[in-house]
Amino acid sequence: MEEAMKRVHHTKVTFTLSCLLHLFFFCALPAMAGDVDRLISFKNSLANPSLLSNWNGTSSVCEFQGVTCKSGHVSSLKIRGLPLGANFSSVSAHILSLQNLETLTLHSINLTGSISAPRNCTLRLKELDLSSNNLRGSVSDATSLANSCVSLQSLNLSDNSIGQSFYSPSSVLPHLKMLDLSNNKIATNEDLEWLFSKLGMLKHLDLSDNNIKGTLPYITNCTTLKHLDLSANQLSGTILTGTFSSCLDLTYLNLSTNHFTGKVPTEIQACSDLITLSLSNNNFSGEIPILSLVSMPGLRFLELAFNNFNGSLSESISKLTSLEILDISANQLSGLIPQSLCTNNISSLEVLHLQDNYFTGSVPYSLSNCTNLVSLDLSLNLLSGSIPGSLGSLSNLKDLIIWQNNLTGAIPAELSSLKLLRNLILNYNSLTGKIPDGLVNCTNLNWISLASNQLTGSIPIWIGKLEKLVVLILSNNSFTGLIPTELGDCPGLCYIDLSNNQINGSIPPTLAKQSGKIVSDLIVDGWLYVSLASSKNIQCHNTLSFLEFNGIRYYDLMRMPVTHYCNFMRVYTGFTGELRRSNVLSMIYLDLSYNLLDGHIPTEISTMQSLRFLNLEHNHLSGPLPPELGILTNLFALYLSHNFLDGMIPSSFSGLSLSDLDLSNNRLSGTIPEWGSLATFPAYAFENNSGLCGLPLPPCNGRSISNGNVLQKPSTNYGSSDGWWIALGVLFSFFLIIGFVIGQFIK
Ligand SMILES: *[C@@H]1O[C@H](CO)[C@@H](O)[C@H](O)[C@H]1NC(C)=O
Ligand SMILES: *[C@@H]1O[C@H](CO)[C@@H](O)[C@H](O)[C@H]1NC(C)=O
Ligand SMILES: *[C@@H]1O[C@H](CO)[C@@H](O)[C@H](O)[C@H]1NC(C)=O
Ligand SMILES: *[C@@H]1O[C@H](CO)[C@@H](O)[C@H](O)[C@H]1NC(C)=O
Ligand SMILES: *[C@@H]1O[C@H](CO)[C@@H](O)[C@H](O)[C@H]1NC(C)=O
Ligand SMILES: *[C@@H]1O[C@H](CO)[C@@H](O)[C@H](O)[C@H]1NC(C)=O
Ligand SMILES: *[C@@H]1O[C@H](CO)[C@@H](O)[C@H](O)[C@H]1NC(C)=O
Ligand SMILES: *[C@@H]1O[C@H](CO)[C@@H](O)[C@H](O)[C@H]1NC(C)=O
Ligand SMILES: *[C@@H]1O[C@H](CO)[C@@H](O)[C@H](O)[C@H]1NC(C)=O
Ligand SMILES: *[C@@H]1O[C@H](CO)[C@@H](O)[C@H](O)[C@H]1NC(C)=O
Ligand SMILES: *[C@@H]1O[C@H](CO)[C@@H](O)[C@H](O)[C@H]1NC(C)=O
Ligand SMILES: *[C@@H]1O[C@H](CO)[C@@H](O)[C@H](O)[C@H]1NC(C)=O
C-alpha cells in the first residue's frame, strides 16, 4: 500500500518537473481544449464529416479515430483511405497548428486545394504525408511549406497534381531530409533546376513518374543526397560531364525510363557508394562504363536494360562481388559472356539477364558457382555449345530461360536437382536427345517450352506428376510414341502444343480429365509473353508461336530466323497471371496437329468448356465429328483438315461461334448446316471432302443457286481474315491480359 502511494507520488513529481522543464503553456491539464476545438473545426470543414463519427464532444480527443497522444496532447494524426473531402487551407489552419503534432498522415482522403506555407505551422512537426490526394501548387510551394514547418524532416506529396510553373523566392531547404514528389505533374526541367539549387540537407529526393522534359541540369550541390529518383520522366539529351560530380554520398540513382542519349559520363565513378544504379529504358550508347562501375564496390542492383550499349561485357564485371541483379537485356553487346562471373566463392548474384544481345561462345561453366542465382535468361543471343550440366548445382534457380540461340547437345540430366525450377524455356535451339527423366523431380515446373529443337524419344509419362504445370510446348521436334494419358492428371495444365512431331496412337480422352476442375491460380504472375501468329502456309506449320518475352524488344523478334520463313503477321502480347482472374475451367489451347495420330476424336473434348483453340489437322484421325463438340461455345478456331474424318457435319455445329474453321481434305459428306456460322466460311474450309454440299459449296440436289455470289474466291491469304485476328486477340486477352495487336511489322 505504502509502496503504491510512493509510486503515485513519484509520478506526480516527475510530471510536474517535466512541466516546469517545458514552457508552462504546454502543460494544460487534462487534455488541451485547443486540440479538441481545432479537430472539431477541421471535422466541420469536411465534405463528409460523418466519416469521423467518434470525433465529438463525448469522446476524449485521444480516442478520436486516427489520433495518438503523448502526455494528453495530440502528437500524431493518421488517416488513410477515407474520402473525407478536405481542403488544404483547412488542414493548414486547424491541423498544422496543433502544438504538439509530430506526425501527420492524410493519405488518400480526397484532399484538394493548393499547398502553401501554413501561417502557423507547429514547431514539432517532423513527418507530413499528404500522398494520393488532389493537391495543386508548384514545386516552390512545396519547399515553402517545408520551410515554414521548422522541424519538418519528411514531406510526402506523392501522387497529387503538383506542377504549376511558379517560383517564389525561397531559401534552401534547411532541415528537410526526405521529399517525395513522385507521380505529380511536374513538367519542366526549370523545376528541377530550381529544386537542385535548394537541396540543403536533403537525403532522399523522389521525382519519378512526372512529366519532366528537357535536359538534366547540373546538380550544383548534392553533398548530402543519398537517394535520387528521376525515373519515368521525359528527360532527354546527354548527361553533361560534372552533373553528378558532387554527389559523393549517393547510394541510389534511378534514371530509367527517360530519353537520355550518349555515353554515361565517366565521372559517375565519383559516386562510389552507389548500391543501386538504374539506367534502363533510355538510349544510352557506347560501351558499358565498366571502369566507373568497378569503382562502386557496394553495387548490388545494376539495371542497364533497353539501351544501345555495344562492345563486349568486360570480365571486370566479376569484380562487383556484391552484385545481386545484373540486367543488361535488350542492348547490342557482343563477344563472350564473362567467363569469370561468380568465380569468387561467395557470389551474391541472383538475377543474370543478358537476353536480346549478340553474345557468342558458350554458356560459361563458371555460372555453376553462382549459388544464389534465381533467374538466368540468355535468350536471343548467338550462343553455341551445350548447356553445362554443372548448372544443376544452382539449387535456388527458378528460371532457366535460353530460347533462340544455337545450343546443341542434350538437356543435362543434372537439371533434375533444380527443385525450385519453375520456367524451363529452351525453345528455338538445336538440342538433341531425350527429355531427361530426372526432371520429374522438378515439381515446381510451371512453364516448359522445348519447342523447335531436335529432341527425340517419347513424351514422358511423368509430366502428369508435375502438379504446377500450366504451359507445355513441345512442338517442332521429333518426338515419337503416344500422348501419355497421364497428361490429364496435371491440375492446372491448360496450354498444350505438341504439334509437328511424329506422335502416334490415339488422342487420350483423359486429356479432358481436369475439365471443370482446373486450378487456374497455378500460373505465375508477371511474365510478359508474345504470341506470333502466321497465316497458314506450307513451309511453316506454326499457326501460333508462344514465347516468353521479358527483356526483349519487339523489333528484335525479326532476328529470329523463324519470323522469316513463317510469315508471322501479327504479334499479341500481355502478361501471365491474368489467367486466374478469367475463370478458366478447362484446357484453353490444344494443338496436336502435324502428327501421326489415329483413332476417333474423343467426345470428352466437349467437356473442355474453356477451349478456344483446337488444332488436330494433318493427322490420320478417322470416324465421325462428335456432335458434342457443338457445345464448345468458347471455341473460335477449329482445324481438323487433312484427316480421314467421315460422316455428316453434325447439326449441333451450328451452335459454334467460330472465327476460323478448316474441315477440308477429309471424307465428310452430306449437307453443311445452313444456320449458324458454318455457312459463312469460304468454300476452301470444306473443300476436298467426299460429298459435302450446300452453302458455301454448290447445293446438294443440283438446284440452281439463287444468289450468284455464294461461291467465294479462293483466298491466298488463308486464315487471316479480320475476324480471325480479332478472335486471336480475344484468345490472348482471355488467356493473359491485353492482347493488343502490335501491327503487321513482321512480314
Ligand atoms: C460520439 O462518439 C461516441 C463514440 O463513437 C458515440 O458513442 C456517441 O454516440 C457520439 N455522440 C454523438 C453526439 O454523435
Ligand atoms: C472529393 O471532394 C470533392 C469536394 O471536396 C467532391 O466534389 C468530390 O466528389 C470528392 N471525390 C471523391 C472521390 O470523394
Ligand atoms: C479551398 O480553400 C480556399 C481558401 O479557403 C478556397 O479559395 C478554395 O476554393 C478551396 N478549394 C476547394 C477545392 O474547395
Ligand atoms: C498560432 O498558434 C499559437 C499557438 O497555438 C496561437 O496562440 C496563435 O494565435 C496562432 N496564430 C495564428 C495567426 O493563428
Ligand atoms: C510516399 O507515399 C507513397 C504513397 O503512400 C508511398 O508509396 C511512398 O513510399 C512514400 N514515400 C516515402 C519516401 O516514404
Ligand atoms: C553544399 O551544401 C552543404 C550543405 O548544405 C554546405 O555545407 C556546403 O557549404 C555547400 N557547398 C557548396 C560548394 O556550396
Ligand atoms: C527504377 O525506376 C523504375 C521506374 O520507376 C522502376 O520500375 C525500377 O524498379 C527502379 N529500379 C530500382 C532498382 O529501384
Ligand atoms: C538512339 O540513339 C541512336 C544513336 O545512338 C539513334 O540512331 C536512335 O534513333 C536513337 N533512338 C531513339 C528512340 O531515340
Ligand atoms: C558502338 O557503336 C558506335 C556507334 O554508336 C560505333 O562507333 C562503335 O564502333 C561501336 N562499337 C563496337 C565495339 O561495336
Ligand atoms: C568455382 O569456385 C571454386 C572455388 O570457389 C573454384 O575452385 C572453381 O574453379 C570454380 N568453378 C568454376 C567452374 O569456375
Ligand atoms: C548452329 O550450330 C550448328 C552446329 O554447330 C551449325 O552448323 C550452324 O551453322 C549454327 N547455326 C547458326 C545460326 O549459327
Ligand atoms: C528424384 O529424387 C529422388 C530423391 O530425391 C531420387 O531418389 C530419384 O532417383 C530422383 N529421380 C530421378 C528420376 O532422378
Side-chain angles (χ1 to χ4, degrees):
M1 190 63 179
E2 251 181 42
E3 193 62 24
M5 289 291 283
K6 250 191 215 161
R7 219 181 296 136
V8 169
H9 182 69
H10 182 248
T11 321
K12 256 190 195 159
V13 172
T14 337
F15 187 64
T16 320
L17 267 175
S18 82
C19 279
L20 289 174
L21 289 173
H22 286 79
L23 295 172
F24 73 88
F25 62 78
F26 280 120
C27 299
L29 294 169
M32 287 245 326
D35 283 5
V36 184
D37 292 346
R38 287 192 163 95
L39 291 179
I40 295 294
S41 303
F42 174 67
K43 176 180 175 177
N44 291 337
S45 77
L46 299 176
N48 298 307
S50 59
L51 292 173
L52 297 175
S53 59
N54 82 344
W55 285 32
N56 65 30
T58 54
S59 313
S60 145
V61 67
C62 297
E63 285 158 9
F64 280 15
Q65 179 180 357
V67 167
T68 311
C69 287
K70 266 191 197 162
S71 315
H73 302 292
V74 176
S75 64
S76 147
L77 172 60
K78 293 187 181 175
I79 302 176
R80 302 184 142 262
L82 274 186
L84 300 179
N87 188 326
F88 181 80
S89 58
S90 165
V91 174
S92 180
H94 306 304
I95 308 284
L96 292 179
S97 60
L98 287 165
Q99 279 180 6
N100 292 282
L101 192 71
E102 293 169 11
T103 306
L104 175 62
T105 299
L106 298 173
H107 168 84
S108 186
I109 63 150
N110 192 9
L111 182 58
T112 52
S114 292
I115 50 167
S116 58
R119 245 182 292 164
N120 211 4
C121 188
T122 167
L123 301 175
R124 301 194 172 184
L125 189 68
K126 285 207 183 76
E127 275 182 53
L128 178 55
D129 179 352
L130 304 176
S131 58
S132 298
N133 284 297
N134 198 16
L135 293 169
R136 306 184 165 278
S138 67
V139 168
S140 122
D141 293 331
T143 56
S144 306
L145 169 60
N147 280 345
S148 46
C149 301
V150 296
S151 303
L152 196 66
Q153 304 206 335
S154 161
L155 175 58
N156 193 342
L157 293 168
S158 170
D159 192 12
N160 278 288
S161 301
I162 291 160
Q164 283 167 8
S165 286
F166 166 75
Y167 310 99
S168 61
S170 159
S171 54
V172 296
L173 293 161
H175 40 70
L176 197 69
K177 298 213 163 70
M178 195 292 283
L179 178 59
D180 189 341
L181 284 167
S182 61
N183 199 0
N184 274 286
K185 300 209 159 82
I186 304 168
T188 72
N189 61 352
E190 284 162 41
D191 291 295
L192 262 190
E193 203 169 346
W194 197 87
L195 253 182
F196 284 169
S197 69
K198 307 283 183 238
L199 293 179
M201 304 301 284
L202 208 64
K203 284 183 176 348
H204 183 118
L205 178 60
D206 191 345
L207 293 164
S208 61
D209 249 309
N210 278 281
N211 200 17
I212 307 173
K213 297 184 191 69
T215 55
L216 184 63
Y218 285 105
I219 310 181
T220 38
N221 187 357
C222 73
T223 40
T224 57
L225 203 62
K226 283 184 173 304
H227 181 110
L228 178 60
D229 195 344
L230 296 170
S231 65
N233 278 291
Q234 312 277 340
L235 290 163
S236 57
T238 55
I239 294 179
L240 299 176
T241 305
T243 305
F244 293 105
S245 54
S246 72
C247 303
L248 304 180
D249 276 2
L250 218 51
T251 58
Y252 181 100
L253 177 62
N254 196 338
L255 302 178
S256 70
T257 317
N258 279 287
H259 308 300
F260 289 118
T261 54
K263 295 191 173 183
V264 179
T266 52
E267 112 280 341
I268 201 167
Q269 73 187 66
C271 312
S272 58
D273 286 346
L274 275 178
I275 293 171
T276 302
L277 176 61
S278 182
L279 305 176
S280 293
N281 281 305
N282 279 290
N283 198 6
F284 285 114
S285 54
E287 300 203 0
I288 303 253
I290 192 70
L291 288 176
S292 306
L293 296 176
V294 295
S295 68
M296 304 166 184
L299 205 58
R300 287 166 56 197
F301 309 103
L302 179 58
E303 299 176 334
L304 304 173
F306 291 93
N307 280 292
N308 277 318
F309 289 115
N310 67 359
S312 61
L313 181 58
S314 161
E315 292 285 342
S316 308
I317 196 87
S318 57
K319 290 187 186 149
L320 292 172
T321 54
S322 304
L323 218 50
E324 290 170 29
I325 295 182
L326 176 58
D327 185 354
I328 318 187
S329 52
N331 279 288
Q332 320 275 337
L333 298 180
S334 52
L336 301 179
I337 296 175
Q339 307 290 303
S340 54
L341 275 171
C342 303
T343 36
N344 62 312
N345 48 9
I346 36 155
S347 162
S348 39
L349 200 60
E350 290 176 16
V351 173
L352 180 61
H353 285 180
L354 302 179
Q355 64 268 35
D356 197 359
N357 279 290
Y358 295 87
F359 285 111
T360 50
S362 55
V363 179
Y365 282 94
S366 67
L367 290 187
S368 53
N369 268 353
C370 303
T371 46
N372 286 305
L373 203 61
V374 172
S375 185
L376 175 64
D377 194 339
L378 307 176
S379 305
L380 198 46
N381 278 293
L382 303 167
L383 301 174
S384 53
S386 56
I387 301 171
S390 54
L391 293 187
S393 64
L394 300 177
S395 56
N396 293 303
L397 199 65
K398 290 185 172 172
D399 309 319
L400 180 57
I401 305 180
I402 319 186
W403 56 265
Q404 189 62 66
N405 277 283
N406 198 11
L407 298 177
T408 51
I411 299 171
E414 291 89 336
L415 298 187
S416 63
S417 349
L418 301 176
K419 298 285 186 287
L420 301 181
L421 195 65
R422 69 187 167 191
N423 293 311
L424 179 64
I425 301 181
L426 301 171
N427 44 331
Y428 294 104
N429 279 293
S430 303
L431 298 171
T432 50
K434 297 180 174 184
I435 300 179
D437 282 334
L439 293 184
V440 64
N441 278 346
C442 305
T443 48
N444 283 299
L445 276 169
N446 189 245
W447 181 339
I448 297 180
S449 183
L450 304 174
S452 302
N453 279 290
Q454 287 132 44
L455 298 170
T456 51
S458 55
I459 294 173
I461 56 173
W462 50 258
I463 288 183
K465 293 191 186 153
L466 298 176
E467 300 239 308
K468 297 189 177 163
L469 193 65
V470 173
V471 177
L472 177 66
I473 304 179
L474 302 176
S475 53
N476 301 317
N477 279 290
S478 301
F479 289 115
T480 51
L482 307 176
I483 298 174
T485 55
E486 290 81 356
L487 284 190
D489 295 339
C490 298
L493 186 57
C494 52
Y495 194 110
I496 297 187
D497 185 353
L498 306 179
S499 64
N500 215 16
N501 281 291
Q502 286 115 50
I503 300 169
N504 59 14
S506 56
I507 300 173
T510 52
L511 284 186
K513 210 168 123 189
Q514 302 294 353
S515 293
K517 293 181 284 191
I518 283 278
V519 183
S520 60
D521 41 322
L522 289 175
I523 197 157
V524 174
D525 271 344
W527 288 88
L528 190 62
Y529 72 86
V530 294
S531 192
L532 305 176
S534 73
S535 56
K536 285 201 233 168
N537 64 57
I538 300 301
Q539 302 85 345
C540 168
H541 297 163
N542 295 50
T543 319
L544 283 176
S545 190
F546 191 74
L547 297 172
E548 180 278 333
F549 204 62
N550 290 284
I552 310 279
R553 279 186 213 270
Y554 289 107
Y555 60 73
D556 282 342
L557 282 171
M558 280 183 279
R559 292 176 48 196
M560 299 181 68
V562 69
T563 57
H564 302 297
Y565 63 82
C566 267
N567 188 26
F568 288 113
M569 303 280 287
R570 304 274 173 118
V571 180
Y572 299 87
T573 188
F575 285 96
T576 60
E578 284 300 304
L579 180 58
R580 95 196 48 195
R581 269 152 284 193
S582 45
N583 201 23
V584 172
L585 303 169
S586 74
M587 193 90 67
I588 61 175
Y589 187 100
L590 181 59
D591 190 346
L592 306 174
S593 62
Y594 291 94
N595 277 296
L596 306 168
L597 297 168
D598 54 24
H600 293 194
I601 297 174
T603 55
E604 286 79 357
I605 286 184
S606 66
T607 65
M608 298 180 177
Q609 309 86 310
S610 304
L611 196 66
R612 293 270 160 150
F613 186 98
L614 177 62
N615 190 349
L616 305 176
E617 63 186 23
H618 289 270
N619 277 294
H620 305 316
L621 299 170
S622 57
L625 297 174
E628 293 84 351
L629 294 187
I631 64 170
L632 290 174
T633 48
N634 288 308
L635 199 64
F636 79 83
L638 176 63
Y639 302 126
L640 303 174
S641 74
H642 296 271
N643 279 293
F644 306 117
L645 301 167
D646 56 24
M648 315 256 291
I649 299 177
S651 59
S652 63
F653 275 36
S654 321
L656 296 171
S657 37
L658 296 170
S659 293
D660 206 8
L661 171 74
D662 194 350
L663 300 177
S664 69
N665 297 287
N666 276 294
R667 295 172 180 168
L668 300 168
S669 56
T671 313
I672 295 169
E674 275 184 32
W675 46 282
S677 64
L678 294 198
T680 65
F681 290 100
Y684 57 70
F686 303 97
E687 270 167 359
N688 257 328
N689 274 291
S690 308
L692 280 179
C693 58
L695 286 176
L697 300 180
C700 296
N701 53 12
R703 267 185 301 149
S704 66
I705 305 164
S706 52
N707 178 346
N709 295 328
V710 288
L711 275 173
Q712 303 195 9
K713 269 189 284 175
S715 169
T716 46
N717 201 13
Y718 189 33
S720 56
S721 68
D722 281 351
W724 153 250
W725 297 120
I726 291 164
L728 209 51
V730 174
L731 168 80
F732 289 101
S733 60
F734 171 83
F735 184 47
L736 306 151
I737 15 179
I738 26 156
F740 63 86
V741 179
I742 299 294
Q744 291 179 261
F745 71 92
I746 292 177
K747 276 232 165 162

